[in-house]
Amino acid sequence: MSIDRAAQLKTLHLFGMAAAWSEWLAEHGGQQKPVMPEVWLDRLIAAEQADRQARSLNYQLKAARFPIHRDLMHFDWRETPIAQYRIEQLATGHFMEQAYNLILIGGTGTGKTHLATAIGMAAIHQGKRVRFYNAVDLVNQLDKEKQQGKAGNLAKQLQHMDAVILDELGYLPFPASGGALLFHLISQLYEKTSLIITTNLSFGEWVQVFGDAKMTTALLDRVTHHCDILETGNDSYRFKQRKKATENQ
């Protein structure tokens, strides 16, 4: 009676080993098995480790909820005043280990979301955990959480992230209580989880979002305590591309 070892390995959730075993059978099934079993044991273990790393990476990329794939390879460095080496340093994710923050400030279409997403994706490849939010969507989720009597649950979850990306802060107004909810969340993440914030507002304009001058000052004090601030400029890359295309017609 033959033993289906690949099936047994899958039952044990050793999918990498099962795949490696099936590949070996397909290639060497009719030949004599190796004399030293530890050689193939090492290969099976390596295959399992590689498979688990790949599945973990795919899981973390999905869990991050990026709206679209963005990487640094496809970023046009000619269209930004930010030095490429500086972004590549941030993409290592080392700043997340000290829960430092990153704020990208600039006009619409200057690559803020692209850079924030690319940094987040690169950090996930380095084993970090990242969660992406549009600022208004996050405020709506916090408001819903409060109405359901579950306030604080999301903050506890996000404290286990290495970084939270807060995209498009200031593009759309919040509900009346939204500024306070976001302030409370950021206060709970302070020195625990890195924030990557993209915004089209100068710091002096943040009071327009949060509504209260004292609260805004306290928020900025926390957010900028350990923080890199990068300005992406005000000339829209997409607008320039459309203009060039029109001129070439």
Side-chain angles (χ1 to χ4, degrees):
M1 179 179 176
S2 62
I3 300 174
D4 189 344
R5 291 184 176 85
Q8 289 178 327
L9 290 168
K10 289 179 181 178
T11 300
L12 294 171
H13 299 284
L14 300 172
F15 300 107
M17 286 189 177
W21 179 258
S22 297
E23 289 173 5
W24 182 83
L25 285 180
E27 189 174 353
H28 304 289
Q31 300 178 16
Q32 185 179 359
K33 293 180 174 56
V35 177
M36 299 175 63
E38 61 270 20
V39 173
W40 263 102
L41 180 59
D42 289 343
R43 293 183 184 180
L44 289 171
I45 291 172
E48 183 62 29
Q49 289 174 330
D51 180 72
R52 292 194 178 198
Q53 289 172 357
R55 285 189 284 124
S56 175
L57 176 62
N58 288 333
Y59 173 80
Q60 292 299 337
L61 287 171
K62 289 180 181 178
R65 306 286 181 87
F66 294 114
I68 192 169
H69 180 276
R70 288 285 184 262
D71 57 45
L72 296 181
M73 290 180 61
H74 295 91
F75 187 78
D76 191 344
W77 299 103
R78 298 168 299 178
E79 300 294 342
T80 181
I82 303 174
Q84 181 176 350
Y85 80 90
R86 187 70 193 96
I87 297 298
E88 290 174 346
Q89 283 180 332
L90 292 166
T92 64
H94 292 329
F95 73 98
M96 300 176 188
E97 294 167 10
Q98 288 81 38
Y100 280 25
N101 298 325
L102 171 64
I103 301 177
L104 295 161
I105 303 175
T108 301
T110 56
K112 301 184 300 299
T113 299
H114 186 139
L115 290 173
T117 301
I119 289 169
M121 285 190 166
I124 288 175
H125 280 82
Q126 300 300 321
K128 300 290 190 292
R129 292 167 296 178
V130 179
R131 182 67 165 86
F132 182 103
Y133 286 99
N134 174 277
V136 173
D137 291 341
L138 177 57
V139 168
N140 290 337
Q141 188 169 338
L142 291 169
D143 186 55
K144 182 179 179 180
E145 182 184 63
K146 181 180 179 181
Q147 292 177 16
Q148 294 175 341
K150 299 178 180 179
N153 286 355
L154 182 58
K156 291 178 182 177
Q157 295 173 21
L158 295 181
Q159 285 175 7
H160 295 290
M161 295 287 109
D162 293 292
V164 173
I165 298 175
L166 187 59
D167 192 42
E168 296 189 337
L169 180 69
Y171 280 77
L172 294 173
F174 295 152
S177 61
L181 290 171
L182 192 55
F183 169 79
H184 186 61
L185 172 67
I186 292 175
S187 297
Q188 290 179 295
L189 298 182
Y190 176 57
E191 294 190 328
K192 297 184 180 72
T193 301
S194 292
L195 289 172
I196 301 176
I197 299 174
T198 73
T199 182
N200 62 336
L201 301 177
S202 66
F203 290 138
E205 297 173 309
W206 280 35
V207 68
Q208 300 173 16
V209 175
F210 294 95
D212 182 273
K214 289 184 178 180
M215 181 174 67
T216 304
T217 300
L219 176 75
L220 285 169
D221 182 62
R222 288 171 173 81
V223 169
T224 60
H225 182 204
H226 305 295
C227 183
D228 278 314
I229 301 167
L230 302 179
E231 297 186 16
T232 59
N234 291 306
D235 295 329
S236 171
Y237 169 72
R238 291 189 293 269
F239 176 78
K240 286 187 285 187
Q241 289 295 100
R242 288 195 296 269
K243 184 178 179 181
K244 288 180 183 178
T246 301
E247 292 174 349
N248 291 332
Q249 288 178 354

